[in-house]
Amino acid sequence: MFDDLPGAGRVFDFDEIADHLVEQGEQCSPSELHGCLTGLMAAGVVGEPAAGLAGLNQALNLDLHGELAEIMLELYAVTLAALEDEEFDFHPLLPDDDTELDLRVLALGNWCRGFMAGYARATASAGSGDASLPGDSAEILRDIAAIAQAGVDEELPEDESEGNYTEIVEYLRFAALNVYMDTQGRAAADGGGSPSLH
């Protein structure tokens, strides 16, 4: 994942990041971290990776350090490149497809919760939490909040559940891109720069 993007020096391994989180005594998932970073950027915080790491720590009440902090700095830079990529090569960081569907759906919900936390942190920090949202962003944010509560319907056949999961992941890919582009468009129209975290 992310290995074809400019500046991607590594493939981000879900399990490796999860191991680092356990070592640091943190309860969140790699998907939640990536969702949070994406939410910060989608809200308009586009700057140095160090600002993204600080925003991540603040939004999720973490203290990431050492090798994990370095990985998050790389992930921030690569995610930003993906959001700005003309080929729409952005993908949420989720477990591999050979992971049990229940665990993938749980990770998907974690990604959405992280996204909402990052978005809320950035807009609150910029003082724009009450501003009207551009484009389709308000509806997309409601969808992401709803997906955060998703679970597997045990009544559905496995192939249908897999299909639903794939559709939701694809929706989230473009939802994050849309919110990011809406925010960048509004910033350009306002003539202002990106909000910063305090």
Side-chain angles (χ1 to χ4, degrees):
M1 181 174 285
F2 301 110
D3 51 336
D4 296 329
L5 289 168
R10 64 186 296 155
V11 175
F12 293 96
D13 183 273
F14 187 93
D15 293 331
E16 177 192 358
I17 296 172
D19 289 344
H20 282 298
L21 284 164
V22 170
E23 287 169 11
Q24 294 193 12
E26 301 291 359
Q27 300 296 314
C28 63
S29 80
S31 294
E32 190 171 4
L33 296 180
H34 185 243
C36 186
L37 288 175
T38 306
L40 289 166
M41 289 179 237
V45 177
V46 179
E48 292 301 311
L53 177 62
L56 173 70
N57 279 330
Q58 292 165 355
L60 298 180
N61 195 26
L62 303 172
D63 180 23
L64 304 184
H65 52 275
E67 188 175 349
L68 181 54
E70 293 297 321
I71 292 171
M72 289 303 104
L73 293 173
E74 289 180 51
L75 185 58
Y76 181 93
V78 170
T79 300
L80 180 57
L83 288 169
E84 294 181 340
D85 183 63
E86 292 180 1
E87 301 296 318
F88 305 115
D89 205 17
F90 170 81
H91 296 272
L93 180 61
L94 298 167
D96 292 335
D97 287 343
D98 57 0
T99 303
E100 285 182 33
L101 182 60
D102 285 5
L103 296 177
R104 283 182 280 143
V105 170
L106 181 63
L108 192 67
N110 287 333
W111 191 92
C112 292
R113 279 188 288 283
F115 183 95
M116 297 303 291
Y119 193 92
R121 169 70 189 138
T123 53
S125 183
S128 58
D130 295 329
S132 62
L133 296 168
D136 297 325
S137 291
E139 182 179 349
I140 288 171
L141 290 172
R142 284 192 293 272
D143 288 345
I144 292 174
I147 294 168
Q149 310 303 318
V152 176
D153 184 347
E154 301 296 342
E155 304 295 318
L156 287 179
E158 186 176 342
D159 59 341
E160 192 172 337
S161 294
E162 285 284 354
N164 290 344
Y165 171 82
T166 301
E167 283 181 19
I168 292 171
V169 171
E170 194 67 5
Y171 173 78
L172 283 177
R173 282 186 60 215
F174 287 97
L177 285 162
N178 277 331
V179 176
Y180 177 78
M181 289 187 284
D182 281 351
T183 300
Q184 294 304 307
R186 179 176 63 180
D190 292 347
S194 301
S196 57
L197 292 170
H198 303 288

